[in-house]
Amino acid sequence: MTDHNSAIQVTVWNENRHEKKNPKVAAIYPQGIHGAIAAALSAESGLAVRTATLDEPEHGLTQAVLDGTDVLIWWGHMAHHDVRDEIVERVKKRVHAGMGLIVLHSGHYSKIFKALMGTACSLKWRESTDKERLWVVNPAHPVAAGLPGHFELPFEEMYGEPFAIPAPDELVFISWFTGGEVFRSGAAWQRGCGRVFYFRPGHETYPTYHDANIQRVIANAVRWARPAANLADIHPPRPEACAPLEPLPPDPGAAERPAIGHR
Amino acid sequence: MTDHNSAIQVTVWNENRHEKKNPKVAAIYPQGIHGAIAAALSAESGLAVRTATLDEPEHGLTQAVLDGTDVLIWWGHMAHHDVRDEIVERVKKRVHAGMGLIVLHSGHYSKIFKALMGTACSLKWRESTDKERLWVVNPAHPVAAGLPGHFELPFEEMYGEPFAIPAPDELVFISWFTGGEVFRSGAAWQRGCGRVFYFRPGHETYPTYHDANIQRVIANAVRWARPAANLADIHPPRPEACAPLEPLPPDPGAAERPAIGHR
Amino acid sequence: MTDHNSAIQVTVWNENRHEKKNPKVAAIYPQGIHGAIAAALSAESGLAVRTATLDEPEHGLTQAVLDGTDVLIWWGHMAHHDVRDEIVERVKKRVHAGMGLIVLHSGHYSKIFKALMGTACSLKWRESTDKERLWVVNPAHPVAAGLPGHFELPFEEMYGEPFAIPAPDELVFISWFTGGEVFRSGAAWQRGCGRVFYFRPGHETYPTYHDANIQRVIANAVRWARPAANLADIHPPRPEACAPLEPLPPDPGAAERPAIGHR
Amino acid sequence: MTDHNSAIQVTVWNENRHEKKNPKVAAIYPQGIHGAIAAALSAESGLAVRTATLDEPEHGLTQAVLDGTDVLIWWGHMAHHDVRDEIVERVKKRVHAGMGLIVLHSGHYSKIFKALMGTACSLKWRESTDKERLWVVNPAHPVAAGLPGHFELPFEEMYGEPFAIPAPDELVFISWFTGGEVFRSGAAWQRGCGRVFYFRPGHETYPTYHDANIQRVIANAVRWARPAANLADIHPPRPEACAPLEPLPPDPGAAERPAIGHR
């Protein structure tokens, strides 16, 4: 079993393109969105935080990095298609094996999120001056720990329903927007042995990741998404042949039937 | 809205390879597994049934066929990898748009099922002389209509837990096997606007699809999986920009901010 | 199996107290809230509608009435405590046996809804001039059939989160309110063999039940909540002793052990 | 927030009647079933364990005891009806406020479990020589931590489907019985702010609670069911009036409308 006294290994992944192209974004996030999130998480006890970005070799997500990651945070937007399919597959397998995954904002449309959900993950959106108010609909959920009943972001991109996701295993937040929309903005699923949390806020042109409540949610989600146990090998990567535990009835077609494990 | 007095358009898809290679399978299913299932469904009122197989052009699943299909039934096993990715993508989009999908037996490991589930869909298995007994755990579910509390297949391949699927939206059947295993053998999910039902029995070397209870389940599942409504366009295929319904606060950064819909 | 060509037997129950005490309510609903809902449902094909109210003998919900009811609609507010416990128990058993139940607005705090949910069913509220906008979050759900992506009520009582309900089996609507709140306003659960739908709008001082979209939702919910099958006896009312289907191992303590069915 | 370095306060409740009446049960559990469970939990780190039984004043469940309990374990069978309704109500409110509840075996038919589920909780049963084999269907669930893929009890009472419960939020174990039945034997729900786990094994005439795997499950469930946070006041016990956060539209009927909070 995982030693829960050891640090949680967190990798914050960011495509890191807006920061390079848009001075306004660079001004808000001089260390990148990944840098801002990593800095906030590093102030928490019990977390060991590193970052990775799209333009690093293997997008910074080598097998070794993933094997050493308990929880991966994902921010992407304009460059989803530049993420190589084999890296997406590698991340997916690691989630199946137990790694937690926290998908932020426009990551709803990342290859990895769509692959884990099995749906289009489409939504309505508007980049304007909406205020977003997030309501906690499940105050007992660990991701809502320490939060008030609702909290606000003075300006955010709007995302609206219908959000084409599978029904969440757990719904934690619903957002209200000035312009008249609602959104399931904090939702959780299990995929294989891994926990997945989607958290809506975080458009690159707003200082959302400097907000204390947003930082609280992400830190809570990291702790919630940590694998509960040493999960190596518990979900076999392939169908697994097995022998009976109890006596079987006689085989009426024994002569014709191929032996167990023939395929 | 769909006219529910019109026939449900069903397409039964089968890879149809075992039937060609293994005389034992051909003896059990002289018209193929697809033929046996289609014959049983054709005896039901209100269903219009056709078949499609792997080795037809576009696997028999042209866009026109899929657009005219309300519910697709899928049987595959030894040739999952021969199914072309673009056809899988086409089926997936049609499920998202509302088409029902019924995945049978070894279809747990088909590309389309794995793509819709987002998990490995792995399991334990044994091809031997197990008896399978299916228990109805949700007697009120439409897929269980007209069935006894449990029913049996004298010989079937065993599938055992853990079955690496997302938690089903609805669980209808659990199987008991002589050799000591259990399996969630009838499970339902929604993906986009489409309903998906997985039903476990149906190994090619047993006459499972000639069994009246199995035929009852498949016919029930077809009726349950029928789209509830005319679903065209209700799930946008891409994120959708939209204008506010309510007045927005003034824009503090209007000069710098790009217009709505810029991306 | 239920003959789905026969009419669905609907009973609309209302406590009918506001209508008697408050002339404003009586002006909006001269035939009572139950009368307005029944009139709208009677215009639908395939429904046979009757009403029942609190002050009738046995609240109009005799065993015979319930046995002849496929779907019961419930509106109550100021007189929840006047509903007799044995009638609540009778309704609960009938839901368990398959009757659909549609709980409206302040019925969130009725004895029957709380008994079926197992939670406090508390919420925030404000009786003021809020506009309510209902968003369809699951456009494929039968209860949303024929509705636009969102629809509005110009004035309604506000209900806000957290709504202390179990996680819905299915979430269909989320409401947005002018005053800044959100609410899971259309939610579904199964309890025993019966389907339960909670639908938020309907404060007595607004003409909500005269609204065409609201009437559409209620009619859809009636069709969705209809029992799928003849459910008599499928859920035993008590634990049920049963004999083994397979040979059991020898009994090491046969002499001491009481016979099956001893309790 | 709860200090997660402090001990989890566990109360093991038992009706403790079989132990007094049946020498065979007393021989297996000389300190009572509660004593056996408490002894096993006391060997775990971080748990502070006490017991309570039916025949103590207030069944040992005074408000003070419940207020000091993080997780309550419940075993009852022959005396469900002797549990006073006001104590059941007290336990239910405490679960809603965040206390974890672990219901064992025949507790499926206790007043508290039925009240939290909202269903009949009926099932099939047989007291004979069945072997029970429990399969882990969700290996990543914290309640399954440290367990093998399956484990056995050489003799147990059989419980069979359909088990009349709401669809579990999470399903962890499914049991296989020699006599041919299956059962959802480990299932989780949230009710209000509290987590509820039902665990099937534990008939009084078998030494089930001396089994190491069973003890592991119960200890895991205690840790899983611990409240995540200081939950005081987050779920209002009654509907809560609130003022708008945003400007409301003018009130067309201001003169006639009663003020907020009038009821």
Side-chain angles (χ1 to χ4, degrees), chain A residues 137-138 166-172 174 184 188, chain B residues 168-170, chain C residues 113 116-117 119 137-138 141 161-174 183-191 196-199 224, chain D residues 166-170 189-192:
Chain A
V137 300
N138 185 351
D169 295 343
E170 300 172 294
L171 182 62
V172 184
I174 296 177
R184 288 170 289 172
Chain B
D169 295 343
E170 300 172 294
Chain C
F113 188 62
L116 287 165
M117 295 294 105
T119 57
V137 301
N138 185 352
H141 196 282
E161 296 280 349
F163 185 18
I165 47 173
D169 295 343
E170 300 172 294
L171 182 62
V172 185
F173 304 112
I174 297 178
F183 196 73
R184 289 169 289 171
S185 53
W189 298 263
Q190 187 177 326
R191 286 294 179 268
V196 179
F197 192 76
Y198 175 79
F199 188 48
W224 168 85
Chain D
D169 295 342
E170 301 172 294
W189 298 263
Q190 186 178 327
R191 286 293 179 268

Side-chain angles (χ1 to χ4, degrees), chain A residues 132-147:
Chain A
E132 177 175 13
R133 181 177 295 126
L134 292 102
W135 288 92
V136 177
V137 300
N138 185 351
H141 197 283
V143 173
L147 293 169

Side-chain angles (χ1 to χ4, degrees), chain C residues 46-64:
Chain C
L47 309 187
V49 186
R50 64 184 141 188
T51 64
T53 54
L54 178 62
D55 293 326
E56 296 174 39
E58 303 188 40
H59 311 328
L61 299 174
T62 62
Q63 190 64 53

Side-chain angles (χ1 to χ4, degrees), chain D residues 134-219:
Chain D
L134 292 102
W135 287 92
V136 176
V137 300
N138 185 351
H141 196 282
V143 172
L147 293 170
H150 63 86
F151 54 97
E152 296 184 359
L153 296 163
F155 295 101
E156 251 293 349
E157 184 180 19
M158 183 282 295
Y159 278 6
E161 296 279 349
F163 184 18
I165 46 173
D169 295 342
E170 301 172 294
L171 181 62
V172 185
F173 304 112
I174 297 178
S175 286
W176 177 101
F177 291 94
T178 327
E181 293 84 5
V182 298
F183 197 73
R184 289 170 288 173
S185 52
W189 298 263
Q190 186 178 327
R191 286 293 179 268
C193 290
R195 291 178 168 186
V196 179
F197 192 76
Y198 174 78
F199 188 48
R200 198 215 75 82
H203 196 60
E204 67 274 6
T205 58
Y206 307 102
T208 296
Y209 296 115
H210 297 307
D211 180 272
N213 286 315
I214 298 299
Q215 293 173 355
R216 169 65 22 237
V217 170
I218 296 173

